[in-house]
Amino acid sequence: MFDDTVECPYCEHENDMSEGTVDLPSDNKFDHECENCGKEFEVEVEFYPSYGASKIIYETCDGCSKSVRDSYRKGTVFPFPKHLDGDTYCRKCFFKALSER
């Protein structure tokens, strides 16, 4: 769980950092003035990985009939070769058709 506060190293006051991650510099460090004692200190923001899961969906390529996991579908890929009759293609068939244009 993400904690939106950081303790001041001088007075131990819990400073609100809920807006501290907006427009972070590339090194994820910035200076902050304590809300309690007014002293400035450096804050370093660390990001932890978050995980999610989804089902693997296999589709049949309309070109070679192979079952593929990462397909190229009409309506989701631009440009989609107009001369293709089907809607779903594997990488090999899609790029072959694209190069035929």
Side-chain angles (χ1 to χ4, degrees):
M1 189 58 129
F2 182 70
D3 187 12
D4 285 339
T5 62
V6 66
E7 187 178 281
C8 174
Y10 303 104
C11 72
E12 300 179 357
H13 174 76
E14 291 291 328
N15 287 267
D16 180 20
M17 293 288 117
S18 58
E19 296 190 22
T21 58
V22 177
D23 296 328
L24 276 174
S26 61
D27 64 355
N28 292 345
K29 294 180 184 180
F30 61 93
D31 293 341
H32 180 77
E33 186 177 304
C34 178
E35 300 160 356
N36 184 52
C37 70
K39 291 184 179 179
E40 199 169 53
F41 58 92
E42 184 176 72
V43 176
E44 182 175 358
V45 181
E46 296 178 355
F47 293 98
Y48 297 99
S50 62
Y51 298 94
S54 61
K55 294 179 180 179
I56 297 173
I57 299 171
Y58 290 94
E59 298 180 288
T60 302
C61 173
D62 291 333
C64 66
S65 299
K66 287 184 182 177
S67 181
V68 293
R69 173 177 183 162
D70 297 315
S71 62
Y72 293 79
R73 296 183 58 78
K74 185 182 277 185
T76 61
V77 177
F78 182 80
F80 196 87
K82 293 179 181 180
H83 66 281
L84 290 177
D85 295 330
D87 293 329
T88 306
Y89 291 89
C90 68
R91 174 184 293 268
K92 184 178 177 181
C93 291
F94 178 80
F95 283 110
K96 181 181 176 188
L98 196 60
S99 68
E100 292 171 354
R101 283 181 62 189

